Amino acid sequence: MKKIKIAMMWHFHQPFYRKDGEFILPWTRLHGVKDYKDLPELFYEFPKLRQTINIVPSMWRQLNDYIFNGVSDVIQELTLKDPTEMSADEKAKVLHLFFLCNVENMINPYPDYQRLYTMSLENKELSNQDIIDLQVWYNLTWVGMLSRENPAVKRLFRQGSGFTAIDKKMILDLHLDILSSVKSNLNRLKDLGQLEISVSPYNHPILPLLCDSCAMLEAMPNAELPENLFNYPEDAAAQINLSKDFFVENFKETPKGMWPSEGSISDKALKIMIDSGIGWVASDELVLKKSMKEKYRNEYKYFPIKYHAEGGDITVFFRDHSLSDAIGFQYSGWNPNDAANDFMQKLINIRGQIVEKCGEDALDYAVVPIILDGENCWEYYKNNGVDFLRILFKNLEDSDEVETVLFRDVYGKFSPHVPEISHVQAGSWINADFEIWAGHKEHRIAWSMLSKARNALKNNIDKFKESDKAILWDLMYIAEASDWFWWYGDKHWAPNKFDFDVLFRWYLTKIYELLKINPPEELLHPINAAASKQTFSQATQMVDILDLHGWDNDDVWKNSAKFFPTANQSSMHKVGEIIEEIDFANSDNCMYLRVSLRKDTEPDYEIILKQKLGVNFYMWKIMPQKIEFEDKTSEGFVFASKSSKYFIMKQLDDICENESCEIDFTTHYNESSVSGKFVAKICKKI
């Protein structure tokens, strides 16, 4: 029996956090000790397994700064601080920053850490000893599961409390030991033939938008563009070539493949990668679908695609975003066995589909690309995902129907069933467009600032000696990173969201200062809107919608309970998230629900809504411009729809006998699923 091949890529990525000689955010170090060593180290247990890890050089550069150059981050410095010498502001920072992790999996399993967390929630004052314990625990909880086998780490976990200054120094030294082993670990696995290492452009920029701001219009023709357009394809080439140089220096060979930042490709970007000698790249299946239009067939995404341009060819893999997102977002809440078995069954189903449509010989060419974040998702899993991964990797290694391969071993091998392409519609892994990085007013302001700084650099760079030029280009390329733009707009939220804006404007300001030009006034002011969008707010009073004519008026819902699913997104993004807002309200004898979708949602979605009110349970299905009810629950319901909004009303004479209403939703869109839940209180008559 011929096996279906899968190529799995884990993406390791952090932007450059250094400002004035220190890292103002600790994520490179913390993910380094939790993920960059542990995930690859797990591969040793499964010698038949073949995996790819993608490295972003800006992340690697910071690892070297920690290990060799003595650069520290704000968490390290606060950890070493004696509580008796802390100012009130420093103690407040500790209480704010030292609980920034997944509470369920990184705080609650440890009673001593959980006690400190509970005290902070209750605004109880922590003693000096409590603060020392907190300083140790925050660094300790980030240590990966495999690295916890170190006897010194075990000792700290056993101790739990009563830590000393020596313990604080020890855990930070252990962090550096772990970071120091990352490079040798990857090189050993590479030499064993188990691992391919690929690379992203040096500072993780969106290549198509560096080449031309107008690339935005290919997927979103009505999008607004920045006042000052960015059009520097030479910067895209520089970011790629810097990555190649980094790779040769660290891994002693030229990279075969590249994950272009955020899977973003365009014709111009692909041509640059071809000219740079890159053999294979990857993007998302929706980019292929939108590029091929009516010629697209679903099975094409399971084959390497030859992209032909003037001057050469390149192999493009298009990730299966349903399988990739299942690991990234869905399986964390599952039983590990069930999740691994579900994943295997989906692969076996794909094999069957390919054989049915193309014949068994097509398996000689077929490859299922599974590409996802290799760090952020694991904190949502119990034990950092190790239980799930061990079961999954064992199933993959033992399977008679599935085998893992390296991208480098299958690129350039094209099936006669699949046509080559010579054009792609510019897009990314998120909805095959660039809205996340360029679609909001804040994005346009930031891109315009970047363009003005780049123009100033172009007009003045020749005045400087080579050493100063190198510093200026470095600052410019850092400012081009995608990460600053990720956090503008209203799609993502995190407690340190505004630090990314600070860094972006700081890098641009430094460019002007080194050019001996007064920085523009606009760089002194935050780009981010000051107010953050709440994830959920409760209703403040009853709402009475007397008829269907006013239900789509926002004023009617101003006192309703509001749930914003996208406001809860952070460093990861869910492709299937199409609900912008859910409103729930009640009168004394009716309950009302309004679901508002993103305006650009294509008419190919299904939303399952479940509502629990006391002992009553209701379920219905929303599809484009209609709602289907379960037969037993349709009586007494009224619904309406308008554009991208849906309204449901149900008469319930006893609604006020209940304290709350639980609402569950699951969206199915673009072969991805996203779920959520909130509990809204029932408003009573005053």
Side-chain angles (χ1 to χ4, degrees), residues 435-452:
E435 182 186 12
I436 292 297
W437 304 273
H440 191 276
K441 178 183 177 182
E442 292 175 4
H443 295 128
R444 293 190 287 277
I445 292 170
W447 276 105
S448 191
M449 287 180 177
L450 185 70
S451 178
K452 285 191 280 189

Side-chain angles (χ1 to χ4, degrees), residues 1-6 298-299 301-303 320 323 342-370 396 399-403 417:
M1 177 188 291
K2 293 185 177 181
K3 297 183 178 183
I4 180 68
K5 295 183 283 291
I6 68 166
N298 190 56
E299 63 269 22
K301 66 186 178 185
Y302 301 129
F303 293 88
D320 183 302
L323 277 172
D342 182 76
F343 189 86
M344 294 299 295
Q345 187 58 54
K346 287 176 177 175
L347 288 172
I348 291 166
N349 292 345
I350 290 170
R351 182 192 182 279
Q353 293 165 21
I354 292 170
V355 171
E356 179 183 350
K357 293 180 180 178
C358 306
E360 190 168 10
D361 287 345
L363 295 176
D364 294 336
Y365 304 95
V367 182
V368 182
I370 297 157
L396 288 169
S399 176
D400 294 326
E401 298 177 82
V402 181
E403 65 176 330
H417 295 91

Side-chain angles (χ1 to χ4, degrees), residues 226-436:
E227 180 181 352
N228 299 286
L229 300 181
F230 200 95
N231 189 0
Y232 285 97
E234 60 266 40
D235 287 16
Q239 296 264 12
I240 291 169
N241 289 323
L242 284 169
S243 276
K244 288 181 62 181
D245 294 342
F246 149 83
F247 199 93
V248 171
E249 179 183 349
N250 286 276
F251 302 111
K252 310 308 177 189
E253 63 183 25
T254 303
K256 298 288 192 301
M258 173 169 284
W259 170 248
S261 318
E262 308 293 357
S264 298
I265 58 175
S266 65
D267 289 332
K268 288 182 180 179
L270 285 171
K271 178 67 166 61
I272 293 170
M273 285 184 268
I274 291 170
D275 293 343
S276 299
I278 301 297
W280 64 263
V281 298
S283 186
D284 186 77
E285 62 176 89
L286 192 56
V287 174
L288 179 64
K289 182 178 181 179
K290 292 195 171 184
S291 298
M292 297 188 76
K293 296 182 169 58
E294 67 276 357
K295 295 180 181 179
Y296 175 77
R297 291 167 55 187
N298 190 56
E299 63 269 22
Y300 287 169
K301 66 186 178 185
Y302 301 129
F303 293 88
I305 304 287
K306 178 192 280 189
Y307 176 89
H308 178 74
E310 183 180 348
D313 304 326
I314 195 169
T315 300
V316 188
F317 296 93
F318 293 93
R319 72 190 278 271
D320 183 302
H321 68 218
S322 177
L323 277 172
S324 303
D325 287 359
I327 297 175
F329 302 107
Q330 186 178 348
Y331 291 151
S332 59
W334 288 34
N335 172 279
N337 273 298
D338 293 342
N341 291 337
D342 182 76
F343 189 86
M344 294 299 295
Q345 187 58 54
K346 287 176 177 175
L347 288 172
I348 291 166
N349 292 345
I350 290 170
R351 182 192 182 279
Q353 293 165 21
I354 292 170
V355 171
E356 179 183 350
K357 293 180 180 178
C358 306
E360 190 168 10
D361 287 345
L363 295 176
D364 294 336
Y365 304 95
V367 182
V368 182
I370 297 157
I371 301 170
L372 69 148
D373 188 319
E375 49 192 286
N376 288 303
C377 65
W378 302 124
E379 64 191 86
Y380 296 92
Y381 283 77
K382 300 291 184 187
N383 296 324
N384 207 41
V386 170
D387 303 336
F388 162 71
L389 288 171
R390 279 196 168 119
I391 298 167
L392 176 63
F393 291 168
K394 184 72 165 61
N395 289 352
L396 288 169
E397 197 172 51
D398 293 346
S399 176
D400 294 326
E401 298 177 82
V402 181
E403 65 176 330
T404 58
V405 296
L406 304 177
F407 287 89
R408 72 182 185 203
D409 293 335
V410 292
Y411 87 94
K413 299 176 181 179
F414 305 112
S415 168
H417 295 91
V418 182
E420 68 177 52
I421 59 176
S422 57
H423 166 68
V424 294
Q425 178 178 292
S428 73
W429 77 271
I430 300 178
N431 301 321
D433 59 37
F434 303 119
E435 182 186 12
I436 292 297

Side-chain angles (χ1 to χ4, degrees), residues 449 501-502 504-506 508-509 512-513 518-528:
M449 287 180 177
D501 172 55
V502 168
F504 175 69
R505 290 183 292 110
W506 185 82
L508 294 184
T509 300
Y512 284 107
E513 289 175 351
N518 288 331
E521 172 76 16
E522 61 190 1
L523 288 175
L524 298 175
H525 307 291
I527 298 171
N528 294 107

Side-chain angles (χ1 to χ4, degrees), residues 15-77:
F16 201 63
Y17 293 122
R18 198 161 91 186
K19 176 179 178 283
D20 289 329
E22 77 164 0
F23 297 124
I24 71 167
L25 291 171
W27 307 124
T28 301
R29 175 174 62 91
L30 296 182
H31 281 291
V33 300
K34 188 170 76 68
D35 305 303
Y36 301 158
K37 174 178 176 285
D38 269 41
L39 179 61
E41 199 161 90
L42 202 58
F43 300 166
Y44 288 116
E45 300 178 24
F46 306 93
K48 296 179 185 177
L49 210 63
R50 301 292 179 265
Q51 304 268 7
T52 298
I53 285 180
N54 187 77
I55 299 291
V56 178
S58 61
M59 175 275 290
W60 198 268
R61 178 180 178 183
Q62 291 172 90
L63 291 183
N64 285 337
D65 276 346
Y66 277 113
I67 298 163
F68 302 114
N69 300 327
V71 181
S72 59
D73 60 58
V74 64
I75 296 295
Q76 285 172 306
E77 293 172 6

Side-chain angles (χ1 to χ4, degrees), residues 135-289:
Q135 289 168 315
V136 172
W137 264 113
Y138 188 61
N139 290 281
L140 187 60
T141 197
W142 281 92
V143 176
M145 291 295 156
L146 274 64
S147 296
R148 293 182 185 190
E149 293 304 308
N150 183 307
V153 177
K154 285 184 175 181
R155 171 178 165 168
L156 292 173
F157 272 104
R158 282 197 306 269
Q159 183 173 336
S161 62
F163 295 118
T164 66
I166 295 173
D167 295 321
K168 294 195 294 182
K169 184 177 183 303
M170 182 167 72
I171 186 60
L172 293 181
D173 287 346
L174 287 166
H175 276 204
L176 293 181
D177 290 344
I178 294 169
L179 297 184
S180 298
S181 68
V182 171
K183 179 179 177 179
S184 58
N185 215 23
L186 295 181
N187 273 315
R188 273 194 297 271
L189 286 162
K190 178 172 70 72
D191 293 342
L192 287 168
Q194 274 190 257
L195 181 69
E196 177 178 6
I197 304 171
S198 58
V199 71
S200 288
Y202 196 90
N203 285 292
H204 207 263
I206 304 296
L207 294 177
L209 296 180
L210 292 191
C211 293
D212 187 353
S213 294
C214 293
M216 176 80 169
L217 302 177
E218 292 187 32
M220 303 177 70
N222 297 319
E224 290 186 58
L225 295 178
E227 180 181 352
N228 299 286
L229 300 181
F230 200 95
N231 189 0
Y232 285 97
E234 60 266 40
D235 287 16
Q239 296 264 12
I240 291 169
N241 289 323
L242 284 169
S243 276
K244 288 181 62 181
D245 294 342
F246 149 83
F247 199 93
V248 171
E249 179 183 349
N250 286 276
F251 302 111
K252 310 308 177 189
E253 63 183 25
T254 303
K256 298 288 192 301
M258 173 169 284
W259 170 248
S261 318
E262 308 293 357
S264 298
I265 58 175
S266 65
D267 289 332
K268 288 182 180 179
L270 285 171
K271 178 67 166 61
I272 293 170
M273 285 184 268
I274 291 170
D275 293 343
S276 299
I278 301 297
W280 64 263
V281 298
S283 186
D284 186 77
E285 62 176 89
L286 192 56
V287 174
L288 179 64
K289 182 178 181 179

